[in-house]
Amino acid sequence: MRVATFTLIGSLKWAKLGFYDQQKHEYGEILLSEPQEIASCIGNISLKEGEPFVHAHAVLADENGNTKGGHLLGGAVFAAEIHLTELLGPDLVRKKDDVTGLSLWQP
Amino acid sequence: MRVATFTLIGSLKWAKLGFYDQQKHEYGEILLSEPQEIASCIGNISLKEGEPFVHAHAVLADENGNTKGGHLLGGAVFAAEIHLTELLGPDLVRKKDDVTGLSLWQP
Amino acid sequence: MRVATFTLIGSLKWAKLGFYDQQKHEYGEILLSEPQEIASCIGNISLKEGEPFVHAHAVLADENGNTKGGHLLGGAVFAAEIHLTELLGPDLVRKKDDVTGLSLWQP
């Protein structure tokens, strides 16, 4: 699979979220060491340096329903249900963008 | 409809969210008695004990934009817009999983 | 494009969220003047007064992962990735609904 989009719900044993600093062009990390519900997860798969690359954002909720959100950097799945839609057709390729410092899809 | 996936936005008059305890294998409940925006809702429909079963996670926001998230256990709709995609093909069936205590899709 | 549904992730330089007062039938505004991750955004396009109209809800996260959510009223995009599904077929038309005060899809 080279290009896809997905939504996902479930729960994680722990997670690490990221916040991209729009000035410094680097990610800050937010570690959530306790179990979390995946209240929302939206993402996609495209090509970066020739390999399939997953980009996902998530909103996670703890036992009191309190939420943290951001770029999903890592975590351990307890259970998850994904709806993955493969997109056939031309490849979607990421390339470093000088303005944002991010790897963005090429026009 | 037997198998489907959906996203939903709108608002609720009240809601009840759940957090699944990964050790005790039971849901804790979070009652939100005030009106909420459905900031995000992602879910699916599959078969459990032969009947269509809805599984949805949500992020809800109050009048100050403050959010709670988790497994959507209940609520009363004020207004809602759903994008429901029916998935034709083989049935997707939930069965009790001993490791997690959840009803998960069978391989 | 007249009818569509979408999910979107990315980040904003600032944003304005809304909360619809179910009694007063008016939006309260929540201004987020700092950069935000778009942890989740779900929306649709349909016709309102003959023109394509975007309706989106979002969960936004700040540098600490703290989230605010609601109806997306405005903002400035830093970077964004959208999965937009055009829905062919009959038009989907919004019309003022007296019960809720919202412009809802007609049956």
Side-chain angles (χ1 to χ4, degrees), chain B residues 6-14 34-42 59-68 76-85, chain C residues 5-7 17-23 25 27 30 40-44 55-59 67-71 85 87 94 99-105:
Chain B
F6 62 86
T7 57
L8 185 154
I9 55 175
S11 53
L12 298 172
K13 298 175 185 176
W14 62 269
E34 298 296 314
Q36 305 285 323
E37 295 286 324
I38 304 169
S40 168
C41 182
I42 297 171
V59 184
L60 305 176
D62 70 13
E63 61 183 330
N64 299 308
N66 293 324
T67 54
K68 295 276 186 182
V77 171
F78 177 76
E81 298 174 356
I82 189 168
H83 172 219
L84 181 72
T85 303
Chain C
T5 182
F6 62 86
T7 57
L17 294 171
F19 175 87
Y20 190 72
D21 189 309
Q22 298 175 12
Q23 303 296 329
H25 290 188
Y27 280 100
I30 299 142
S40 168
C41 182
I42 296 171
N44 56 63
H55 180 209
H57 281 205
V59 184
T67 53
K68 295 277 185 180
H71 178 95
T85 303
L87 301 174
R94 292 183 181 278
V99 177
T100 61
L102 294 166
S103 291
L104 300 180
W105 296 327

Side-chain angles (χ1 to χ4, degrees), chain C residues 35-91:
Chain C
Q36 305 285 323
E37 295 287 323
I38 304 169
S40 168
C41 182
I42 296 171
N44 56 63
I45 299 173
S46 58
L47 297 175
K48 186 177 174 181
E49 295 165 12
E51 299 291 327
F53 174 84
V54 177
H55 180 209
H57 281 205
V59 184
L60 306 176
D62 70 12
E63 61 182 331
N64 299 310
N66 292 324
T67 53
K68 295 277 185 180
H71 178 95
L72 187 58
L73 288 171
V77 171
F78 177 75
E81 297 174 356
I82 189 168
H83 172 221
L84 181 72
T85 303
E86 184 174 9
L87 301 174
L88 303 177
D91 282 346

